[in-house]
Amino acid sequence: MNKRVLFGSVLLTLSLLTACGGSTTPDNSGDQPQPAARTISGTLTAPKGGDMRGTYLLICPIVNGDCDWDGVGGIEIGTSGPQATFTTPALPDGEYGLIAWKDNEPKNQFGAEDELGVYSPDRKSLGRVRPPSTGVNIEMMAFNEPGNAGPPADAPRTAVPAQLVGNWSTLGSSGGGYYNPANGTWSPAGGQGLWYEIRADGTFVYSSYIESRMYGCNINFFKYHTGTVAVQGDRVVFTATNAHQKFEDTCNPSRSYEKTWYPKPDEYKWGVGVRDGRSSMVLVENGKQEGLFFYRNP
């Protein structure tokens, strides 16, 4: 993988970052087995229709339960495509947070134009990884996703299989949505996550809330969609016929917005079953190997 290594805003060579984290060259003297290199590896996935080239994977030491921005290092993805694998240089022992960030125009400003992904097993708090660790996967999201200011020309709708009908939310979200259409207010009270209500008549409600902190800036991103559901075999399409979103940037209030914005229809391969002892639904985007799990709410 073509990559550059960063500390703060200064680009360094891979060998320099490796030296700062300890040598990765094994000592072959003697017959004792050598410990595994303290690296973290995994996969980064771009938002739908996105490209990984130019994405930074920030490697953040966890100090006192939070990211130590003074000690952040990272690598830049130099290859194109919807996914990229990564392996960090050798790191000192400790816990790390991983943040994938694509800095679109304007450069050097974290905001609504950018793409972001945070490693978080519960999709709620900044996850912690202690090297050596493999299989660390991060899915990124776009704040300004492709779509239109007006509703779609066509919204296919079918009956929905009984096993797909229900109220579903990701781990970390209490469900119930983040938007009140009666008065137009947003609330993060349910905890970060994504939530679906899928109905037997081929309609749905979707709501999501993502919060992130970078360099002292708080980003809050809300979505609310209603629309139609079309199921054909193991494929499901959600088409938003009413859609709103809100973006808040505490460091750059002028870039905050609230608008009506209709995303392109979301098409997934779906499945239902039991995960972690709970009734669950998985949605897998076209071209991806892994999906997003939702749990049935009472």
Side-chain angles (χ1 to χ4, degrees):
M1 180 181 68
N2 178 22
K3 59 180 178 257
R4 289 185 292 173
V5 176
L6 303 97
F7 263 105
S9 60
V10 182
L11 294 175
L12 302 176
T13 64
L14 180 60
S15 60
L16 179 56
L17 180 57
T18 303
C20 292
S23 174
T24 59
T25 304
D27 180 0
N28 293 320
S29 62
D31 296 326
Q32 296 298 318
Q34 301 301 312
R38 290 198 184 101
T39 63
I40 302 170
S41 62
T43 302
L44 304 176
T45 302
K48 183 169 56 177
D51 185 1
M52 289 306 307
R53 180 185 288 273
T55 299
Y56 298 107
L57 178 64
L58 306 180
I59 307 164
C60 179
I62 301 296
V63 176
N64 296 325
D66 207 348
C67 176
D68 175 18
W69 290 106
D70 291 334
V72 167
I75 54 181
E76 180 183 3
I77 307 300
T79 54
S80 294
Q83 287 188 320
T85 58
F86 69 90
T87 300
T88 69
L91 300 167
D93 188 30
E95 292 185 323
Y96 294 84
L98 299 179
I99 301 170
W101 174 36
K102 187 165 184 179
D103 183 20
N104 296 319
E105 296 292 341
K107 293 294 185 181
N108 302 315
Q109 295 186 46
F110 180 49
E113 304 82 3
D114 296 345
E115 298 165 13
L116 179 73
V118 177
Y119 172 69
S120 177
D122 64 4
R123 296 184 177 268
K124 182 176 181 181
S125 57
L126 180 65
R128 302 181 184 187
V129 185
R130 182 180 292 273
S133 187
T134 61
V136 176
N137 301 317
I138 301 175
E139 291 206 13
M140 301 179 67
M141 63 175 294
F143 297 118
N144 274 345
E145 62 184 330
N148 300 287
D154 183 38
R157 176 176 172 179
T158 68
V160 175
Q163 62 266 43
L164 196 57
V165 173
N167 185 310
W168 307 88
S169 62
T170 54
L171 191 64
S173 169
S174 64
Y178 307 95
Y179 179 71
N180 185 341
N183 57 22
T185 59
W186 304 85
S187 171
Q192 292 189 68
L194 294 77
W195 170 82
Y196 271 104
E197 180 184 348
I198 303 175
R199 299 166 178 158
D201 65 356
T203 62
F204 79 95
V205 180
Y206 168 84
S207 189
S208 66
Y209 166 60
I210 303 296
E211 177 186 25
S212 182
R213 290 183 297 163
M214 286 185 66
Y215 299 111
C217 299
N218 286 354
I219 297 293
N220 300 313
F221 187 48
F222 298 88
K223 290 184 185 179
Y224 176 81
H225 302 161
T226 63
T228 62
V229 185
V231 181
Q232 184 173 9
D234 64 352
R235 298 286 171 176
V236 59
V237 178
F238 298 96
T239 303
T241 57
N242 181 31
H244 304 280
Q245 59 181 249
K246 182 177 182 179
F247 179 87
E248 297 175 329
D249 182 345
T250 59
C251 286
N252 299 282
S254 63
R255 299 164 71 189
S256 299
Y257 65 80
E258 182 171 354
K259 65 182 180 181
T260 298
W261 188 251
Y262 297 86
K264 294 182 178 180
D266 291 315
E267 181 176 351
Y268 302 99
K269 183 176 181 179
W270 67 275
V272 294
V274 176
R275 188 171 191 260
D276 302 327
R278 299 173 59 186
S279 177
S280 63
M281 170 183 72
V282 63
L283 300 176
V284 184
E285 287 185 21
N286 289 335
K288 292 187 179 180
Q289 300 298 315
E290 296 185 1
L292 183 60
F293 283 92
F294 292 78
Y295 296 88
R296 186 184 294 276
N297 296 312

